[in-house]
Amino acid sequence: MRALFAIGGDVPLARVLTEHRRVLAPLGALLAINIAVLVLLVLPLRASVQSGGARAEESSLAVAAARAELAEAGATRDGQARATKDLDRFYREVLPADVSAAQRLTQSKLSLLARSHDVVFLQSSTTPETLEDSSLERLVVNFSLSGDWEDVQKFIYAVETLPDFVVIDNLALSESGENNAPLSLTLAVSTYYRARSDGR
Amino acid sequence: MLHANLSTRPFYNSRGVRVGLIAVAMIAAGLTVFNAVELWRLQSANRELGQTVNRNENEARDLRQKARTVQQSIDKSQLSLVDAAAREANELIDRRAFSWTELLNHFQATLPASVRIMSVQPQVDDQGRVLVAIRVLSRRQEDLDSFIEALEKSGAFSGVLTRSNSSVEDGALSSVLQAYYHVAPRAAITPPPASEPEKDTPGNRSSANVVAGGRP
């Protein structure tokens, strides 16, 4: 340090430090402690907070995944209950109760329906069928009918819009060569009912 | 150059030294405050994050446990039975919802005078599309082609294909066509046209086109 009132003279730094050691010593100690705290505590703690943030995010994702798992399990359970209820209603209220009810529907009701639409019932054949891997059985009825085209159309529409569960599987139309001869209609219909032996 | 020191303890700029010391003291104080605030803030954040992690882990464990309980309450074999039965019921309902009236209306609208429908059989393929097999009798190949063209143009059918052709007694052509039928929604079913005996309705025209035939 340059000396005052001297020409080209310097004051030794050691003297300056010595003269201010009472202030310099605690100040130096304070600085050293602060740097140590910064390096040993603050910076590692900052890294720890960052990794803690990542762990918290992971745990939030785990909660979301677990919540989704629970929701899915609940949906499966509720879906099964709802499907069982709907199926039960379908079997009880929509399908014929048994083969007799199915036969009444496909024979008597459809014959009456044909008559009410001026379609002449000629003959029918009925075949009950068991369905593989199913609790249902099927009653297939092949009808031979005859009538005018418009009446046949109306009859088909009436069968389709019956409240009862009848499915038209197939239809075939034929006409004799004579003029104004009625059409012959071969209609295959099915209905389904629950098999007796199945306890489902 | 002259070098001279006239004092044994020369003076120096002690004010400058004091200013320097004050500056260092302020830096030290600032660093102390910064460290203290950071320590407090980071420790709080660390504590909160730790609590969040614990809370989330507990919640996730509880939720997984509940999910396991619910899953265990589901009878897997019963579930697969219900699933199969529901699929079967839906297929039956779809078949029941199929509108023959609508299908016949489409045929009436597209059938040329020289082609007659003998039989129709729909079925649903693996992809849930309705495939219709149509047996027709046509006077000439050109008539059959124009029917196929009309079916495709109607927009209700696609992929119309002649599966087989054979000549019958009077020189007419008996053919089996297959086509994908784009089923209209059930609500769109239109009832058959009202009876008007002397009028040339599509129904009458179609009736005249029908010839003897059996199931395909």
Side-chain angles (χ1 to χ4, degrees):
Chain A
M1 183 170 278
R2 188 174 292 280
L4 296 176
F5 314 116
I7 301 168
D10 282 334
V11 175
L13 185 61
R15 187 189 137 204
V16 176
L17 294 176
T18 308
E19 283 179 4
H20 293 88
R21 65 176 178 274
R22 286 187 182 174
V23 179
L24 272 174
L27 212 52
L30 185 62
L31 270 175
I33 289 168
N34 269 307
I35 289 167
V37 166
L38 184 68
V39 172
L40 298 176
L41 292 178
V42 174
L43 295 180
L45 202 53
R46 187 171 285 177
S48 166
V49 166
Q50 279 176 349
S51 72
R55 275 191 295 126
E57 201 170 322
E58 276 174 25
S59 66
S60 295
L61 292 175
V63 169
R67 197 166 283 150
E69 197 180 328
L70 178 61
E72 193 184 344
T76 305
R77 183 193 54 196
D78 296 347
Q80 184 188 6
R82 195 169 48 247
T84 305
K85 199 173 158 190
D86 288 350
L87 277 172
D88 188 50
R89 193 173 143 260
F90 178 65
Y91 292 146
R92 275 190 299 107
E93 296 176 18
V94 179
L95 296 186
D98 50 24
V99 66
S100 307
Q103 186 141 17
R104 278 196 300 278
L105 167 64
T106 49
Q107 290 283 353
S108 316
K109 202 160 185 174
L110 291 191
S111 303
L112 284 173
L113 198 64
R115 197 182 308 160
S116 70
H117 286 84
D118 297 327
V119 174
V120 180
F121 171 81
L122 300 175
Q123 66 174 45
S124 69
S125 63
T126 304
T127 317
E129 291 178 359
T130 52
L131 302 175
E132 202 177 336
D133 297 330
S134 172
S135 65
L136 297 178
E137 287 181 355
R138 178 186 185 197
L139 192 71
V140 184
V141 185
N142 284 294
F143 285 102
S144 291
L145 306 154
S146 81
D148 293 340
W149 170 244
E150 284 183 5
D151 293 333
V152 165
Q153 263 191 309
K154 284 178 185 170
F155 169 65
I156 290 168
Y157 181 72
V159 173
E160 281 182 337
T161 50
L162 270 178
D164 306 283
F165 198 89
V166 180
V167 177
I168 300 177
D169 296 320
N170 184 19
L171 70 82
L173 296 160
S174 60
E175 185 184 51
S176 67
E178 298 166 17
N179 285 340
N180 298 325
L183 288 171
S184 291
L185 169 69
T186 306
L187 194 66
V189 300
S190 298
T191 192
Y192 299 81
Y193 51 93
R194 289 197 83 179
R196 256 184 204 287
S197 57
D198 195 295
R200 196 160 75 184
Chain B
M1 178 179 265
L2 176 65
H3 289 277
N5 189 352
L6 302 177
S7 171
T8 51
R9 291 176 64 82
F11 292 108
Y12 58 89
N13 189 357
S14 61
R15 184 180 288 174
V17 172
R18 274 200 298 277
V19 168
L21 287 175
I22 288 168
V24 172
M26 283 176 73
I27 291 170
L31 197 56
T32 307
V33 170
F34 171 79
N35 278 344
V37 169
E38 275 295 279
L39 278 177
W40 178 80
R41 188 183 70 80
L42 292 171
Q43 276 180 339
S44 299
N46 219 12
R47 197 169 43 247
E48 275 176 26
L49 287 171
Q51 286 170 353
T52 304
V53 169
N54 282 341
R55 196 173 49 243
N56 284 346
E57 281 173 356
N58 288 338
E59 190 179 352
R61 196 168 39 247
D62 286 351
L63 288 169
R64 277 196 295 269
Q65 181 59 41
K66 280 181 191 167
R68 263 196 300 278
T69 309
V70 172
Q71 280 163 351
Q72 280 163 1
S73 73
I74 298 170
D75 183 344
K76 296 282 187 298
S77 58
Q78 184 67 19
L79 180 66
S80 65
L81 284 175
V82 170
D83 185 47
R87 236 178 303 119
E88 179 187 43
N90 283 331
E91 277 171 24
L92 292 181
I93 291 166
D94 284 346
R95 286 183 55 202
R96 161 80 178 145
F98 180 82
S99 172
W100 283 86
T101 303
E102 198 70 28
L103 181 66
L104 293 175
N105 286 346
H106 281 300
F107 287 144
Q108 283 177 221
T110 52
L111 206 60
S114 49
V115 179
R116 295 173 178 186
I117 288 181
M118 297 158 74
S119 70
V120 183
Q121 188 172 28
Q123 61 186 52
V124 179
D125 73 1
D126 298 342
Q127 295 163 15
R129 296 177 298 181
V130 178
L131 190 64
V132 186
I134 314 151
R135 174 167 284 194
V136 295
L137 196 70
S138 45
R139 212 165 288 161
R140 298 169 305 163
Q141 180 65 46
E142 293 89 322
D143 302 327
L144 180 66
D145 292 343
S146 67
F147 177 49
I148 291 173
E149 199 176 324
L151 282 178
E152 285 186 331
K153 269 189 184 167
S154 72
F157 299 89
S158 64
V160 185
L161 182 72
T162 308
R163 295 289 302 274
S164 68
N165 270 329
S166 58
S167 291
V168 289
E169 291 168 1
D170 56 355
L173 194 63
S174 171
S175 314
V176 177
L177 306 180
Q178 76 165 39
Y180 287 107
Y181 174 51
H182 308 295
V183 182
R186 185 68 173 171
I189 294 173
T190 50
S195 174
E196 291 179 51
E198 297 306 318
K199 200 174 167 184
D200 181 25
T201 61
N204 292 342
R205 195 169 70 238
S206 184
S207 155
N209 290 353
V210 174
V211 296
R215 289 170 63 165

